[in-house]
């Protein structure tokens, strides 16, 4: 059969197209195999990449072992990122080995914001928080912590810790934070054979936490670190598991070579604690040994809240109650005033919301901001602290300020010249069997009442002492506030802020 020129040309074109298709298909197949190989290599490389960043937060500029800590970890695990974090540039500057970095948290006007934000400098899955002076002797200790944390499966245990061999053993604590009452309470936790689970630690420890969890805290690297960390995690219901091993060594103990440097470090910790508690809104710490630490107002400082508007102090808008330091000052002032009234022969009684608190709590109402006492006007001349107040105020030998109130014809006793927490003394006098007075407020409970409620006055427990009150407190209070007031607590001005009774 004879093939024409056109047929031959067509046949050649078909063969050429088939060859082209073959080589294109071969090339695509080879490319896909290379991509798969690259993917496998990438995954293998990822598995070898570090999972943990070692982070040292607590150290003092004037004396530290940050360089030694970094060298210890990087000698055993050179692939691990090491980050030393400070609020301001340390002086003298840190001397760090290759592989360790330093991060300053305070912003600089010539730098972008991410330069000072630690979450942009940690690219690993976990963060290992280490104290100053610690050393890594067992390279696999970090993997043990990772396995322990992963074994918890994302439950309430969100941190795992190992002890540092130091002079004082690390302790597991239970921590309860009550923001409404501005208080954190620590207590000792029992140890377990396979590791203790608790909500806070005391002492030197190395702590492992997921990076995501750490940087989801509002203040991830506050100082003091453990105080800041565990207050925030306790509020979230997270727990820490303290293992008995592995242990990390610490040859640099004590950390400071002189008593002066130790004093400087202790002073800075106290300053950092006060700053932290103020930012967290905590004014009272109850410690495991039963001692207390106070961060609120005192006789030497102004009170913790400003001028009260519409009978609603500012803390109620924050869903908090009276700061505990203010309650303490009110109790002290009340006891002091009552002692003077009784010794002077001035008849008095718990009035208004103060009586309501005594009936409900045997104490001041948890959200109240002053104390009210009624007195007999005719007894005022019996008291040296009251009888001459028309000519000015009196600061007595104990620093309490006695004065006639500028708002009207009644008396006020302030905790101190600086701190204006106060007890108000309302002078009543009988008229036709009814107790009345010359100054009235817009409070609905500020009304006249029959004198028989005061005949006789009866003792009642209040704020740790025995005070006097009207003889039929329920009828007296319902006359003042309305029926059912004892059983139905409410804030002073519900139109501005209502009490959520479900949270009581």
């Amino acid at each position: 059969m004879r093939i024409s020129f056109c047929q031959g040309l067509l046949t050649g074109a078909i063969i050429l197209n088939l060859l082209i298709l073959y080589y294109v298909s071969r090339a695509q197949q080879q490319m896909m195999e290379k991509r798969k190989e690259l993917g496998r290599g990438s995954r293998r490389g990822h598995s070898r990449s570090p999972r943990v960043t070692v982070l040292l937060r607590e150290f003092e500029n004037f004396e530290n072992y940050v360089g030694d800590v970094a060298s210890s970890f990087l000698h055993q695990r050179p692939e691990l990122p090491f980050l030393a974090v400070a609020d301001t540039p340390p002086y003298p500057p840190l001397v760090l080995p290759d592989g360790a970095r330093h991060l300053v948290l305070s912003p600089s006007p010539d730098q972008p914001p991410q330069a000072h934000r630690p979450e942009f400098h940690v690219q690993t899955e976990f963060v290992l928080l280490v104290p100053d002076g610690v050393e890594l002797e067992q390279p696999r200790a970090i993997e043990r912590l990772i396995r322990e944390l992963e074994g918890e499966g994302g439950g309430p245990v969100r941190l795992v810790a190992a002890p540092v061999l130091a002079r004082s053993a690390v302790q597991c604590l239970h921590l309860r934070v009550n923001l409404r009452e501005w208080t954190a309470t620590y207590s000792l936790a029992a140890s377990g054979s396979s590791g203790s689970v608790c909500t806070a630690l005391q002492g030197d420890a190395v702590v492992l936490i997921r990076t995501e969890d750490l940087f989801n805290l509002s203040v991830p690297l506050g100082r003091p670190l453990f105080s800041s960390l565990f207050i925030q995690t306790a509020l979230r219901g997270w727990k820490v598991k303290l293992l008995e091993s592995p242990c990390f060594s610490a040859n640099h103990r004590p950390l400071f070579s002189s008593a002066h440097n130790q004093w400087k470090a202790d002073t800075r910790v106290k300053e950092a604690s006060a700053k932290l508690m103020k930012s967290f809104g905590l004014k009272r710490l109850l410690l495991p040994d039963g001692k207390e630490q106070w961060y609120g107002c005192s006789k030497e400082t102004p009170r913790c809240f400003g001028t009260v508007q519409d009978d609603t102090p500012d803390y109620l808008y924050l869903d908090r109650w009276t700061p505990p330091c203010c309650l303490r000052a009110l109790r002290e002032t009340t006891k002091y005033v009552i002692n003077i009234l009784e010794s002077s022969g001035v008849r008095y009684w718990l009035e208004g919301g103060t009586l309501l608190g005594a009936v409900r709590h045997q104490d001041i109402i948890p959200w109240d901001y002053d104390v009210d006492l009624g007195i007999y006007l005719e007894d005022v001349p019996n008291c040296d602290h009251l009888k001459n107040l028309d000519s000015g105020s009196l600061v007595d030998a104990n620093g309490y300020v006695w004065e006639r109130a500028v708002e009207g014809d009644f008396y006020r006793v302030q905790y101190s010249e600086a701190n204006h927490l106060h007890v108000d003394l309302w002078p009543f006098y009988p008229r036709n069997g009814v107790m009345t007075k010359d100054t009235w407020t817009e409070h609905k409970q500020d009304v006249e009442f029959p004198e028989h409620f005061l005949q006789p006055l009866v003792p009642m427990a209040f704020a740790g002492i025995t005070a006097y009150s009207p003889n039929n407190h329920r009828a007296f209070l319902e006359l003042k506030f309305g029926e059912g007031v004892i059983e139905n607590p409410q804030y002073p001005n519900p139109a501005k802020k209502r009490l959520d009774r479900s949270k009581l």
Side-chain angles (χ1 to χ4, degrees):
M1 178 178 177
R2 194 174 178 181
I3 300 175
S4 67
F5 175 77
C6 292
Q7 288 175 326
L9 187 62
L10 179 61
T11 301
I14 292 172
I15 293 172
L16 180 62
N17 285 332
L18 289 173
L19 289 173
I20 291 172
L21 288 172
Y22 169 77
Y23 284 110
V24 168
S25 175
R26 179 81 178 271
Q28 287 178 336
Q29 185 176 0
Q30 290 175 344
M31 187 178 295
M32 290 177 65
E33 290 176 353
K34 287 182 179 180
R35 286 178 178 174
K36 289 179 180 179
E37 182 63 28
L38 287 173
R40 285 193 293 268
S42 175
R43 286 192 291 273
R44 286 195 297 269
H46 178 73
S47 66
R48 292 194 299 269
S49 64
R51 302 181 68 189
V52 180
T53 295
V54 181
L55 193 150
L56 199 164
R57 176 67 173 110
E58 292 279 10
F59 63 92
E60 297 298 343
N61 298 345
F62 52 84
E63 185 174 3
N64 63 70
Y65 299 95
V66 176
D68 291 349
V69 176
S71 296
S72 171
F73 276 82
L74 293 176
H75 175 72
Q76 298 286 355
R77 300 292 300 273
E79 81 283 2
L80 294 182
F82 188 99
L83 194 61
V85 180
D87 293 311
T88 57
Y91 179 80
L94 294 176
V95 179
L96 298 175
D98 292 340
R101 293 180 297 129
H102 177 226
L103 172 65
V104 175
L105 297 179
S106 58
S108 176
D110 62 335
Q111 296 290 328
Q114 59 267 29
H116 305 278
R117 293 171 58 181
E119 63 267 30
F120 286 97
H121 297 261
V122 178
Q123 304 299 321
T124 56
E125 184 180 355
F126 300 95
V127 175
L128 188 72
L129 302 170
V130 300
D132 193 12
V134 73
E135 295 177 347
L136 178 64
E137 292 184 343
Q138 304 174 27
R140 307 307 297 176
I142 297 174
E143 276 64 33
R144 165 75 190 282
L145 296 178
I146 292 175
R147 289 195 301 271
E148 287 286 345
L149 187 54
E150 289 182 324
E152 295 296 331
V157 173
R158 307 291 278 269
L159 308 94
V160 171
V164 174
L165 297 178
R167 292 183 175 182
S168 59
V170 64
Q171 289 182 299
C172 221
L173 304 177
H174 287 312
L175 170 60
R176 183 177 63 86
V177 182
N178 189 331
L179 292 179
R180 187 177 67 183
E181 297 180 6
W182 314 74
T183 300
T185 303
Y186 294 87
S187 58
L188 292 176
S191 299
S193 57
S194 60
S196 302
V197 174
C198 49
T199 48
L201 299 176
Q202 183 180 53
D204 275 347
V206 169
V207 175
L208 183 76
I209 184 173
R210 289 181 176 85
T211 303
E212 181 182 9
D213 285 345
L214 178 64
F215 293 119
N216 274 332
L217 300 177
S218 57
V219 186
L221 297 176
R223 290 193 70 192
L225 181 61
F226 274 13
S227 296
S228 172
L229 180 67
F230 292 120
I231 286 170
Q232 295 176 87
T233 57
L235 284 167
R236 289 160 174 78
W238 299 356
K239 297 183 182 298
V240 56
K241 186 175 184 179
L242 177 61
L243 306 178
E244 296 179 357
S245 64
C247 295
F248 290 77
S249 60
N251 293 326
H252 299 297
R253 289 294 187 274
L255 274 176
F256 305 105
S257 58
S258 68
H260 177 68
N261 279 359
Q262 183 66 59
W263 170 82
K264 286 172 63 177
D266 293 342
T267 300
R268 293 195 181 192
V269 168
K270 290 179 181 178
E271 292 172 350
S273 296
K275 183 178 179 181
L276 179 74
M277 296 309 152
K278 182 178 180 181
S279 67
F280 282 178
L282 291 173
K283 299 183 182 294
R284 183 190 185 204
L285 302 187
L286 299 175
L287 304 179
D289 59 4
K291 295 180 180 178
E292 296 177 304
Q293 290 180 353
W294 294 85
Y295 295 96
C297 59
S298 67
K299 269 188 177 289
E300 291 73 36
T301 67
R303 69 184 185 185
C304 292
F305 55 95
T307 302
V308 177
Q309 304 289 334
D310 300 318
D311 301 322
T312 308
D314 57 13
Y315 50 79
L316 291 185
Y317 293 108
L318 302 175
D319 290 323
R320 297 195 176 201
W321 288 352
T322 311
C325 49
C326 298
L327 290 174
R328 179 180 65 169
L330 284 173
R331 293 186 190 107
E332 290 178 7
T333 307
T334 302
K335 294 174 187 177
Y336 183 77
V337 170
I338 285 177
N339 181 61
I340 288 178
L341 294 178
E342 290 182 349
S343 63
S344 302
V346 176
R347 290 167 290 174
Y348 74 91
W349 61 93
L350 304 175
E351 254 292 345
T354 302
L355 176 61
L356 192 56
V359 173
R360 285 191 192 139
H361 313 282
Q362 293 78 54
D363 202 347
I364 299 167
I365 292 176
W367 52 83
D368 210 350
Y369 52 87
D370 64 4
V371 168
D372 293 311
L373 300 177
I375 61 174
Y376 270 88
L377 177 61
E378 63 188 270
D379 294 343
V380 168
N382 299 337
C383 180
D384 292 338
H385 291 74
L386 295 175
K387 65 183 181 181
N388 295 318
L389 291 183
D390 288 339
S391 58
S393 61
L394 165 69
V395 181
D396 68 19
N398 294 291
Y400 293 90
V401 181
W402 298 70
E403 61 185 5
R404 184 179 291 275
V406 297
E407 298 94 330
D409 190 19
F410 64 99
Y411 302 100
R412 177 164 289 163
V413 186
Q414 295 180 167
Y415 187 46
S416 70
E417 291 183 277
N419 191 326
H420 293 177
L421 288 159
H422 57 265
V423 173
D424 285 335
L425 304 176
W426 299 92
F428 284 82
Y429 55 90
R431 184 172 60 192
N432 300 322
V434 174
M435 298 300 293
T436 188
K437 55 189 176 76
D438 294 331
T439 294
W440 300 95
T441 68
E442 296 179 355
H443 300 160
K444 67 177 183 178
Q445 69 268 24
D446 195 19
V447 296
E448 297 178 331
F449 57 90
E451 189 180 12
H452 66 71
F453 283 112
L454 309 180
Q455 296 176 339
L457 293 167
V458 297
M460 174 173 284
F462 178 71
I465 62 173
T466 299
Y468 284 102
S469 76
N471 53 59
N472 187 340
H473 59 258
R474 175 175 291 277
F476 186 84
L477 288 171
E478 292 190 344
L479 171 68
K480 296 264 185 174
F481 294 97
E483 187 176 353
V485 64
I486 296 174
E487 293 78 18
N488 298 291
Q490 189 51 262
Y491 288 154
N493 190 344
K496 294 295 181 180
K497 180 67 177 179
R498 294 191 64 85
L499 172 64
D500 184 355
R501 297 177 188 171
S502 66
K503 296 181 180 180
L504 292 177

